[in-house]
Amino acid sequence: MKNTTAAQCLEIEVPKISDPRGNLSFIEKNIVPFRINRVYYLYDVPTDSYRGGHAHKNCHHFVIALTGSFDVELQDGMSLKTHTLKKPYKGLHIVPGIWREIKNFSSGAVCLVVASDEFDEGDYIRSFDEFLRYKNQ
């Protein structure tokens, strides 16, 4: 997935069922454009810290701010694009081959990540210089 661009990473609205007792949203197989094989979440991230700082060769991700807000910076080797996520019914699909950093976490923010693949260290690119070489091959 070397030819992917940050412009291909799109925000997707998930269903929101409003009720006087509270809202309900869900993610299932027809909501995200990939098969779900892993779910994890980030929380208690200090405001001045960041997560991510890597790219994936094959794995797709769907990122949602369950509570609070944060910025997702996407780099494709040519351009930088930032998405601010702050609604629990709107997420960001990150395609493979994109460097990502998640930062500017608000107090109490919870970041849910739905992934197409189980954890595989071999799928990660953890050095930005290595990422640029990968994109330019």
Side-chain angles (χ1 to χ4, degrees), residues 66-108:
L66 289 182
T67 62
S69 64
F70 47 82
D71 295 330
V72 182
E73 288 186 356
L74 304 173
Q75 170 68 256
D76 59 19
M78 299 291 283
S79 64
L80 175 70
K81 190 170 184 180
T82 302
H83 293 262
T84 299
L85 299 180
K86 58 186 175 187
K87 297 177 180 171
Y89 57 88
K90 188 177 277 192
L92 176 64
H93 174 213
I94 304 175
V95 298
I98 302 295
W99 185 268
R100 82 283 317 273
E101 290 185 7
I102 307 173
K103 52 181 65 174
N104 301 323
F105 284 82
S106 69
S107 178

Short mmCIF file of all heavy atoms in Angstrom, two decimals, residues 66-108:
data_model
loop_
_atom_site.label_atom_id
_atom_site.label_comp_id
_atom_site.label_asym_id
_atom_site.label_seq_id
_atom_site.Cartn_x
_atom_site.Cartn_y
_atom_site.Cartn_z
N LEU A 66 -14.26 8.57 21.64
CA LEU A 66 -15.45 8.19 22.41
C LEU A 66 -15.84 9.29 23.38
O LEU A 66 -17.02 9.57 23.58
CB LEU A 66 -15.21 6.89 23.17
CG LEU A 66 -15.13 5.63 22.33
CD1 LEU A 66 -14.93 4.41 23.22
CD2 LEU A 66 -16.37 5.46 21.47
N THR A 67 -14.83 9.90 24.00
CA THR A 67 -15.04 11.07 24.85
C THR A 67 -13.90 12.04 24.60
O THR A 67 -12.81 11.63 24.20
CB THR A 67 -15.07 10.73 26.36
OG1 THR A 67 -13.81 10.17 26.73
CG2 THR A 67 -16.17 9.75 26.69
N GLY A 68 -14.14 13.31 24.81
CA GLY A 68 -13.11 14.32 24.62
C GLY A 68 -12.75 14.50 23.16
O GLY A 68 -13.55 14.21 22.26
N SER A 69 -11.54 14.97 22.94
CA SER A 69 -11.10 15.25 21.57
C SER A 69 -9.59 15.06 21.46
O SER A 69 -8.87 15.03 22.45
CB SER A 69 -11.45 16.69 21.19
OG SER A 69 -10.74 17.61 22.00
N PHE A 70 -9.15 14.93 20.21
CA PHE A 70 -7.72 14.84 19.89
C PHE A 70 -7.56 15.07 18.39
O PHE A 70 -8.53 15.02 17.63
CB PHE A 70 -7.12 13.48 20.30
CG PHE A 70 -7.94 12.29 19.88
CD1 PHE A 70 -7.84 11.77 18.60
CD2 PHE A 70 -8.82 11.70 20.76
CE1 PHE A 70 -8.61 10.68 18.21
CE2 PHE A 70 -9.58 10.60 20.39
CZ PHE A 70 -9.47 10.10 19.11
N ASP A 71 -6.34 15.35 17.99
CA ASP A 71 -6.00 15.54 16.58
C ASP A 71 -5.29 14.30 16.05
O ASP A 71 -4.46 13.72 16.75
CB ASP A 71 -5.07 16.75 16.39
CG ASP A 71 -5.72 18.07 16.75
OD1 ASP A 71 -6.95 18.18 16.60
OD2 ASP A 71 -4.99 18.99 17.19
N VAL A 72 -5.60 13.94 14.82
CA VAL A 72 -4.91 12.85 14.13
C VAL A 72 -4.19 13.48 12.94
O VAL A 72 -4.83 13.97 12.01
CB VAL A 72 -5.89 11.75 13.65
CG1 VAL A 72 -5.12 10.62 12.98
CG2 VAL A 72 -6.75 11.24 14.78
N GLU A 73 -2.85 13.50 13.02
CA GLU A 73 -2.04 14.03 11.92
C GLU A 73 -1.64 12.88 11.01
O GLU A 73 -1.09 11.88 11.49
CB GLU A 73 -0.79 14.73 12.46
CG GLU A 73 -1.08 16.04 13.12
CD GLU A 73 0.19 16.79 13.51
OE1 GLU A 73 1.31 16.27 13.33
OE2 GLU A 73 0.04 17.91 14.01
N LEU A 74 -1.91 13.05 9.73
CA LEU A 74 -1.61 12.01 8.73
C LEU A 74 -0.58 12.54 7.74
O LEU A 74 -0.72 13.64 7.22
CB LEU A 74 -2.90 11.64 7.99
CG LEU A 74 -4.07 11.17 8.85
CD1 LEU A 74 -5.30 11.00 8.00
CD2 LEU A 74 -3.72 9.91 9.60
N GLN A 75 0.42 11.73 7.47
CA GLN A 75 1.50 12.10 6.56
C GLN A 75 1.65 10.97 5.55
O GLN A 75 1.74 9.80 5.92
CB GLN A 75 2.78 12.29 7.37
CG GLN A 75 4.03 12.44 6.59
CD GLN A 75 4.11 13.73 5.80
OE1 GLN A 75 3.92 13.69 4.58
NE2 GLN A 75 4.38 14.81 6.45
N ASP A 76 1.65 11.34 4.26
CA ASP A 76 1.80 10.32 3.22
C ASP A 76 3.14 10.39 2.51
O ASP A 76 3.37 9.71 1.52
CB ASP A 76 0.65 10.38 2.22
CG ASP A 76 0.54 11.73 1.52
OD1 ASP A 76 1.52 12.51 1.50
OD2 ASP A 76 -0.55 12.01 0.98
N GLY A 77 4.04 11.23 3.00
CA GLY A 77 5.34 11.41 2.37
C GLY A 77 5.39 12.64 1.49
O GLY A 77 6.46 13.14 1.18
N MET A 78 4.23 13.15 1.12
CA MET A 78 4.14 14.35 0.28
C MET A 78 3.32 15.45 0.95
O MET A 78 3.58 16.62 0.76
CB MET A 78 3.51 14.01 -1.07
CG MET A 78 4.28 13.00 -1.88
SD MET A 78 5.84 13.63 -2.49
CE MET A 78 5.27 14.62 -3.83
N SER A 79 2.31 15.06 1.70
CA SER A 79 1.43 16.05 2.32
C SER A 79 1.07 15.65 3.74
O SER A 79 1.15 14.48 4.11
CB SER A 79 0.16 16.23 1.47
OG SER A 79 -0.59 15.03 1.45
N LEU A 80 0.66 16.65 4.50
CA LEU A 80 0.24 16.47 5.88
C LEU A 80 -1.20 16.92 5.99
O LEU A 80 -1.57 17.98 5.48
CB LEU A 80 1.13 17.32 6.81
CG LEU A 80 0.76 17.35 8.28
CD1 LEU A 80 1.05 16.00 8.93
CD2 LEU A 80 1.55 18.44 8.99
N LYS A 81 -2.03 16.10 6.65
CA LYS A 81 -3.43 16.43 6.83
C LYS A 81 -3.79 16.16 8.29
O LYS A 81 -3.38 15.14 8.85
CB LYS A 81 -4.29 15.58 5.90
CG LYS A 81 -5.74 15.99 5.84
CD LYS A 81 -6.46 15.25 4.71
CE LYS A 81 -7.89 15.76 4.63
NZ LYS A 81 -8.64 15.11 3.59
N THR A 82 -4.54 17.06 8.91
CA THR A 82 -4.93 16.90 10.31
C THR A 82 -6.45 16.82 10.41
O THR A 82 -7.17 17.62 9.81
CB THR A 82 -4.42 18.08 11.16
OG1 THR A 82 -3.00 18.15 11.05
CG2 THR A 82 -4.81 17.92 12.61
N HIS A 83 -6.92 15.84 11.16
CA HIS A 83 -8.34 15.68 11.48
C HIS A 83 -8.50 15.85 12.98
O HIS A 83 -7.78 15.22 13.75
CB HIS A 83 -8.85 14.28 11.10
CG HIS A 83 -8.86 14.02 9.63
ND1 HIS A 83 -9.99 14.14 8.88
CD2 HIS A 83 -7.89 13.62 8.80
CE1 HIS A 83 -9.72 13.83 7.62
NE2 HIS A 83 -8.44 13.51 7.55
N THR A 84 -9.44 16.68 13.41
CA THR A 84 -9.77 16.80 14.81
C THR A 84 -11.00 15.95 15.06
O THR A 84 -12.05 16.18 14.44
CB THR A 84 -10.05 18.27 15.20
OG1 THR A 84 -8.85 19.03 14.96
CG2 THR A 84 -10.43 18.38 16.67
N LEU A 85 -10.86 14.95 15.92
CA LEU A 85 -11.98 14.06 16.24
C LEU A 85 -12.52 14.46 17.60
O LEU A 85 -11.77 14.59 18.56
CB LEU A 85 -11.53 12.61 16.22
CG LEU A 85 -11.00 12.10 14.88
CD1 LEU A 85 -10.59 10.64 14.98
CD2 LEU A 85 -12.03 12.28 13.78
N LYS A 86 -13.85 14.66 17.67
CA LYS A 86 -14.47 15.10 18.92
C LYS A 86 -15.91 14.65 19.08
O LYS A 86 -16.57 15.01 20.04
CB LYS A 86 -14.38 16.62 19.03
CG LYS A 86 -15.04 17.36 17.89
CD LYS A 86 -14.79 18.85 18.00
CE LYS A 86 -15.35 19.56 16.78
NZ LYS A 86 -15.00 20.95 16.74
N LYS A 87 -16.39 13.85 18.15
CA LYS A 87 -17.77 13.36 18.21
C LYS A 87 -17.76 11.84 18.25
O LYS A 87 -17.13 11.21 17.41
CB LYS A 87 -18.57 13.85 17.00
CG LYS A 87 -18.69 15.36 16.96
CD LYS A 87 -19.41 15.83 15.73
CE LYS A 87 -19.50 17.34 15.76
NZ LYS A 87 -19.99 17.90 14.52
N PRO A 88 -18.47 11.22 19.21
CA PRO A 88 -18.43 9.77 19.33
C PRO A 88 -19.18 9.03 18.22
O PRO A 88 -19.19 7.81 18.20
CB PRO A 88 -19.06 9.50 20.69
CG PRO A 88 -19.91 10.69 20.95
CD PRO A 88 -19.24 11.85 20.27
N TYR A 89 -19.77 9.76 17.29
CA TYR A 89 -20.46 9.13 16.17
C TYR A 89 -19.77 9.44 14.83
O TYR A 89 -20.33 9.23 13.76
CB TYR A 89 -21.94 9.54 16.12
CG TYR A 89 -22.15 11.03 16.04
CD1 TYR A 89 -22.18 11.68 14.81
CD2 TYR A 89 -22.32 11.79 17.19
CE1 TYR A 89 -22.37 13.04 14.73
CE2 TYR A 89 -22.51 13.15 17.12
CZ TYR A 89 -22.53 13.77 15.89
OH TYR A 89 -22.70 15.14 15.82
N LYS A 90 -18.53 9.93 14.89
CA LYS A 90 -17.78 10.20 13.67
C LYS A 90 -16.34 9.75 13.87
O LYS A 90 -15.68 10.15 14.83
CB LYS A 90 -17.82 11.68 13.34
CG LYS A 90 -17.23 12.00 11.97
CD LYS A 90 -17.35 13.46 11.63
CE LYS A 90 -18.72 13.73 11.06
NZ LYS A 90 -18.82 15.04 10.45
N GLY A 91 -15.86 8.89 12.98
CA GLY A 91 -14.51 8.37 13.08
C GLY A 91 -13.71 8.60 11.82
O GLY A 91 -14.23 9.10 10.82
N LEU A 92 -12.45 8.23 11.86
CA LEU A 92 -11.54 8.43 10.75
C LEU A 92 -10.98 7.08 10.30
O LEU A 92 -10.39 6.35 11.10
CB LEU A 92 -10.39 9.35 11.19
CG LEU A 92 -9.28 9.59 10.17
CD1 LEU A 92 -9.81 10.32 8.93
CD2 LEU A 92 -8.14 10.38 10.82
N HIS A 93 -11.16 6.76 9.03
CA HIS A 93 -10.59 5.56 8.43
C HIS A 93 -9.18 5.90 7.96
O HIS A 93 -8.99 6.78 7.13
CB HIS A 93 -11.45 5.10 7.24
CG HIS A 93 -10.86 3.96 6.50
ND1 HIS A 93 -11.02 3.81 5.14
CD2 HIS A 93 -10.11 2.91 6.89
CE1 HIS A 93 -10.39 2.72 4.74
NE2 HIS A 93 -9.83 2.16 5.79
N ILE A 94 -8.19 5.21 8.52
CA ILE A 94 -6.79 5.41 8.12
C ILE A 94 -6.38 4.20 7.28
O ILE A 94 -6.38 3.07 7.77
CB ILE A 94 -5.87 5.56 9.33
CG1 ILE A 94 -6.35 6.72 10.22
CG2 ILE A 94 -4.43 5.80 8.87
CD1 ILE A 94 -5.55 6.87 11.51
N VAL A 95 -6.06 4.46 6.03
CA VAL A 95 -5.64 3.39 5.13
C VAL A 95 -4.19 3.02 5.40
O VAL A 95 -3.44 3.79 6.00
CB VAL A 95 -5.84 3.81 3.64
CG1 VAL A 95 -7.30 4.07 3.33
CG2 VAL A 95 -4.99 5.02 3.28
N PRO A 96 -3.76 1.84 4.96
CA PRO A 96 -2.35 1.45 5.14
C PRO A 96 -1.42 2.42 4.40
O PRO A 96 -1.83 3.10 3.45
CB PRO A 96 -2.28 0.06 4.50
CG PRO A 96 -3.68 -0.45 4.52
CD PRO A 96 -4.54 0.76 4.34
N GLY A 97 -0.17 2.46 4.83
CA GLY A 97 0.83 3.28 4.15
C GLY A 97 0.77 4.75 4.53
O GLY A 97 1.27 5.59 3.79
N ILE A 98 0.19 5.07 5.68
CA ILE A 98 0.07 6.45 6.14
C ILE A 98 0.70 6.56 7.53
O ILE A 98 0.36 5.79 8.43
CB ILE A 98 -1.40 6.90 6.20
CG1 ILE A 98 -2.08 6.77 4.83
CG2 ILE A 98 -1.52 8.33 6.74
CD1 ILE A 98 -1.51 7.68 3.74
N TRP A 99 1.60 7.52 7.69
CA TRP A 99 2.19 7.80 9.00
C TRP A 99 1.17 8.58 9.81
O TRP A 99 0.54 9.49 9.31
CB TRP A 99 3.46 8.63 8.81
CG TRP A 99 4.21 8.86 10.08
CD1 TRP A 99 4.09 9.92 10.92
CD2 TRP A 99 5.21 8.01 10.64
NE1 TRP A 99 4.94 9.78 11.97
CE2 TRP A 99 5.65 8.61 11.83
CE3 TRP A 99 5.78 6.79 10.26
CZ2 TRP A 99 6.63 8.05 12.64
CZ3 TRP A 99 6.75 6.24 11.05
CH2 TRP A 99 7.17 6.87 12.23
N ARG A 100 0.98 8.18 11.08
CA ARG A 100 0.00 8.86 11.91
C ARG A 100 0.57 9.19 13.28
O ARG A 100 1.37 8.44 13.84
CB ARG A 100 -1.27 8.04 12.06
CG ARG A 100 -1.30 6.93 13.09
CD ARG A 100 -0.59 5.63 12.74
NE ARG A 100 -0.78 5.11 11.42
CZ ARG A 100 -1.76 4.33 11.04
NH1 ARG A 100 -2.62 3.88 11.91
NH2 ARG A 100 -1.85 3.92 9.80
N GLU A 101 0.14 10.36 13.77
CA GLU A 101 0.41 10.76 15.15
C GLU A 101 -0.89 11.29 15.72
O GLU A 101 -1.58 12.07 15.07
CB GLU A 101 1.50 11.83 15.23
CG GLU A 101 2.86 11.29 14.87
CD GLU A 101 3.99 12.30 15.06
OE1 GLU A 101 3.74 13.39 15.60
OE2 GLU A 101 5.12 11.97 14.66
N ILE A 102 -1.23 10.84 16.91
CA ILE A 102 -2.45 11.28 17.59
C ILE A 102 -1.99 12.14 18.75
O ILE A 102 -1.22 11.68 19.60
CB ILE A 102 -3.29 10.09 18.06
CG1 ILE A 102 -3.55 9.13 16.90
CG2 ILE A 102 -4.60 10.57 18.66
CD1 ILE A 102 -4.23 7.83 17.30
N LYS A 103 -2.45 13.40 18.78
CA LYS A 103 -1.94 14.35 19.77
C LYS A 103 -3.01 15.33 20.21
O LYS A 103 -4.13 15.28 19.72
CB LYS A 103 -0.72 15.09 19.23
CG LYS A 103 -0.93 15.73 17.87
CD LYS A 103 0.27 16.45 17.32
CE LYS A 103 1.42 15.57 17.03
NZ LYS A 103 2.55 16.22 16.36
N ASN A 104 -2.64 16.22 21.10
CA ASN A 104 -3.55 17.24 21.63
C ASN A 104 -4.78 16.62 22.29
O ASN A 104 -5.90 17.08 22.09
CB ASN A 104 -3.96 18.25 20.55
CG ASN A 104 -2.76 18.97 19.95
OD1 ASN A 104 -1.82 19.28 20.66
ND2 ASN A 104 -2.79 19.20 18.66
N PHE A 105 -4.55 15.60 23.09
CA PHE A 105 -5.64 14.94 23.80
C PHE A 105 -6.23 15.89 24.83
O PHE A 105 -5.49 16.50 25.61
CB PHE A 105 -5.12 13.69 24.52
CG PHE A 105 -4.88 12.51 23.62
CD1 PHE A 105 -3.70 12.41 22.90
CD2 PHE A 105 -5.82 11.50 23.51
CE1 PHE A 105 -3.46 11.33 22.07
CE2 PHE A 105 -5.59 10.40 22.69
CZ PHE A 105 -4.41 10.32 21.97
N SER A 106 -7.55 16.01 24.83
CA SER A 106 -8.21 16.78 25.89
C SER A 106 -8.23 15.93 27.15
O SER A 106 -8.05 14.70 27.10
CB SER A 106 -9.63 17.16 25.47
OG SER A 106 -10.46 16.02 25.40
N SER A 107 -8.46 16.57 28.27
CA SER A 107 -8.55 15.85 29.54
C SER A 107 -9.70 14.84 29.48
O SER A 107 -10.80 15.17 29.05
CB SER A 107 -8.80 16.84 30.67
OG SER A 107 -8.94 16.17 31.89
N GLY A 108 -9.42 13.61 29.84
CA GLY A 108 -10.45 12.57 29.85
C GLY A 108 -10.76 11.96 28.50
O GLY A 108 -11.68 11.15 28.38
#
